[in-house]
Amino acid sequence: MTAVPATCIERRARLAARMQPGSAAVLATAPEVLRNGDSEYPYRHDSYFYYLSGFAEPEAVLVLLAAAGDAPVRSILFCREKNPEREIWDGYRHGPEGARIAFGFDEAYPIGELDARMAQLLANVPALYYALGHSAALDAQVAGWLRAVRAQGRSGVAAPSSMHHLPAMLDEMRLVKDAGEQGLMERAARIAAGAHARAMRFTRPGVFEYEIEAELLHEFRRHGARFPAYTPIVASGANACVLHYNQNDRQCRAGELVLVDAGCEFDGYASDITRTWPVNGRFSQEQKALYELVLHAQDAAFAAIVPGRPYSGMHEAALRVLTEGMLDLGLLDRSRYGSPEDAIADKAHLQFYMHGTGHWLGMDVHDVGSYRDMAAAERPSRPLLPGMALTVEPGIYVRPAPGVPEAYWNIGIRIEDDVIVTDSACRVLSADAPKGVAEIEAWMGES
């Protein structure tokens, strides 16, 4: 699938309107990368490039020229030429003219002409926008273009006099999702939620973590999501206390929990869901107590997601609930800390909860955009806006340690959902994945 060309055309126009009149922006897609020998990693386009172009082929560069005076905005694509022989081996190519028509560009040329044409396109352009320092190869290529323009100085041709970091402008555009993007993210979340439900029903004592992972990947692909959005985490027993565990090779045992953090990518947009469930289908008393604590913390975070309120509010709300629970359950010493605020001030909670409660979500699983209001002198947490997409993922991780009740040792729990900020609150995209204690036990009991 491809992004709707009209949407990409509108995005290019919005970007051009923010640029200095008559300036140029250059954006290259991701390169193909060898895995080993002559075998390549599965190709995945650059998110910024795809956001503006909808074009998913490798070896492509977008050039955008902002309007100036009577000269209109120009969007130019450089891409691979049609090549019947290579298409036999590697598949269909649009070619410049086909891509121009299909994706709404004003002009399109073979990628082999990029260097020669850029020396012309950058002549008398006041400013250049590109990903500064992102790629040594691109930096070198830009330097070559500028040298070629400056070589025309005696003819009265001027090179761009200022450089601007293009991703910073695109980050703000990408942070608020339009209706089409929200639809793709909802689809990605539904697929991933179904995969978690499938994995729950498959789980039983004796299965290996990689077998559960295989169930997830099967469900992703079966519903049109070609790739996982990131390497799935399938962490049983003590592995669940390793935040980014991904070996996925341990055998699951009765009496343990398994934490599964897995999402898929659908048409360039990611989902990111975590569920934790008992290997044998029934929570123990201690597991249930910790699980419901995390669930209550997530509910508190959801309630804090309101337009106009700071992004950090959800973390603060979840953290207070979690810390109160740590005190109630004896994970933290009540005689030492009289209130959750006291424990938080001393950072005592970090022993059991050491990460934030969420992150932006979109084309990248940890999506772009500042978490702070960079325009304010104090740089406070930025206010939430309708259309922002984020995860909500409180957790608790109890490693063996002196003073920690042994009944809770090696229990790791995280619950993560994907949400869109609405006009008044938030909408949970991943609600189809079973989550409540009774719901999970009933669902697994039917397997």
Side-chain angles (χ1 to χ4, degrees):
M1 297 179 67
T2 58
V4 178
T7 301
C8 293
I9 292 170
E10 188 272 336
R11 290 171 183 165
R12 295 195 290 265
R14 284 170 54 205
L15 175 61
R18 297 182 182 190
M19 293 163 53
Q20 184 177 338
S23 61
V26 178
L27 186 57
T29 195
E32 294 176 294
V33 180
L34 285 177
R35 181 181 184 275
N36 63 302
D38 61 354
S39 177
E40 295 169 340
Y41 283 104
Y43 183 71
R44 205 276 188 184
H45 51 261
D46 176 81
S47 294
Y48 292 113
F49 179 86
Y50 190 72
Y51 181 76
L52 292 177
S53 70
F55 189 70
E57 293 182 23
E59 296 184 74
V61 172
L62 168 64
V63 178
L64 188 65
L65 299 175
D70 295 332
V73 173
R74 293 167 64 194
S75 60
I76 306 169
L77 179 72
F78 292 86
C79 66
R80 301 180 303 184
E81 295 185 82
K82 295 290 290 181
N83 185 323
E85 181 178 356
R86 290 313 313 167
E87 290 182 56
I88 290 172
W89 290 91
D90 303 325
Y92 176 77
R93 296 181 179 188
H94 279 87
E97 184 60 17
R100 184 190 67 79
I101 295 170
F103 298 93
F105 295 103
D106 298 309
E107 305 167 41
Y109 303 103
I111 189 66
E113 298 180 12
L114 176 64
D115 288 339
R117 289 189 177 271
M118 285 307 299
Q120 302 168 13
L121 292 171
L122 293 181
N124 298 315
V125 165
L128 175 61
Y129 298 76
Y130 80 103
L132 297 166
H134 178 73
S135 161
L138 180 59
D139 285 340
Q141 199 168 23
V142 169
W145 300 337
L146 295 177
R147 284 194 298 270
V149 178
R150 290 172 184 141
Q152 307 171 60
R154 292 185 178 181
S155 302
V157 175
S161 59
S162 62
M163 303 289 170
H164 303 273
H165 189 53
L166 179 59
M169 299 173 66
L170 291 172
D171 288 352
E172 290 302 299
M173 291 176 60
R174 285 175 53 185
L175 187 55
V176 175
K177 275 62 178 177
D178 61 33
E181 291 177 293
Q182 292 181 34
L184 292 173
M185 294 185 68
E186 188 162 17
R187 175 65 172 151
R190 284 202 304 269
I191 294 170
H196 279 262
R198 177 190 179 107
M200 280 184 198
R201 279 200 166 164
F202 173 81
T203 302
R204 61 189 181 278
V207 304
F208 284 84
E209 293 166 343
Y210 55 74
E211 294 181 86
I212 297 174
E213 180 182 10
E215 296 296 309
L216 296 162
L217 298 177
H218 174 90
E219 197 72 4
F220 292 166
R221 196 68 184 97
R222 191 167 77 93
H223 290 282
R226 185 179 177 191
F227 304 116
Y230 51 95
T231 302
I233 295 169
V234 183
S236 62
N239 290 341
C241 294
V242 180
L243 299 184
H244 288 168
Y245 170 84
N246 60 20
Q247 283 81 6
N248 299 353
D249 58 3
R250 181 178 178 274
Q251 191 172 32
C252 302
R253 300 171 184 170
E256 297 176 339
L257 299 178
V258 58
L259 183 158
V260 176
D261 186 336
C264 63
E265 182 178 289
F266 184 81
D267 198 12
Y269 286 81
S271 55
D272 184 3
I273 301 173
T274 306
R275 292 292 186 267
T276 308
W277 59 83
V279 171
N280 62 6
R282 300 288 295 182
F283 288 90
S284 71
Q285 179 179 345
E286 292 78 14
Q287 291 167 351
K288 180 180 178 181
L290 289 178
Y291 187 91
E292 291 190 331
L293 171 60
V294 176
L295 199 59
H296 292 327
Q298 192 189 46
D299 287 340
F302 286 150
I305 300 175
V306 177
R309 292 188 186 177
Y311 168 86
S312 61
M314 70 166 183
H315 176 68
E316 293 163 1
L319 179 58
R320 192 188 189 288
V321 172
L322 287 170
T323 308
E324 180 75 59
M326 293 172 195
L327 291 166
D328 290 343
L329 296 173
L331 297 176
L332 295 178
D333 187 351
R334 177 72 77 172
S335 66
R336 181 176 180 184
Y337 301 109
S339 69
E341 288 75 16
D342 292 340
I344 292 169
D346 199 35
K347 299 183 179 180
H349 64 280
L350 292 177
Q351 181 178 355
F352 307 107
Y353 182 51
M354 61 293 295
H355 60 77
T357 303
H359 54 78
W360 302 133
L361 184 68
M363 302 187 88
D364 300 327
V365 68
H366 284 192
D367 209 34
V368 298
S370 173
Y371 291 91
R372 294 185 175 275
D373 182 355
M374 304 304 284
E378 301 81 8
R379 296 187 175 179
S381 179
R382 76 183 304 158
L384 295 170
L385 298 173
M388 287 179 169
L390 58 149
T391 66
V392 183
E393 51 175 312
I396 195 163
Y397 314 90
V398 186
R399 295 167 182 78
V404 175
E406 189 172 350
Y408 298 117
W409 286 7
N410 296 320
I411 296 177
I413 296 167
R414 185 163 63 251
I415 304 171
E416 179 179 21
D417 282 287
D418 304 342
V419 308
I420 295 283
V421 182
T422 67
D423 289 337
S424 59
C426 70
R427 177 165 59 96
V428 179
L429 305 181
S430 48
D432 289 347
K435 187 163 63 173
V437 168
E439 183 184 14
I440 289 173
E441 291 183 344
W443 181 256
M444 295 185 70
E446 296 174 10
S447 63

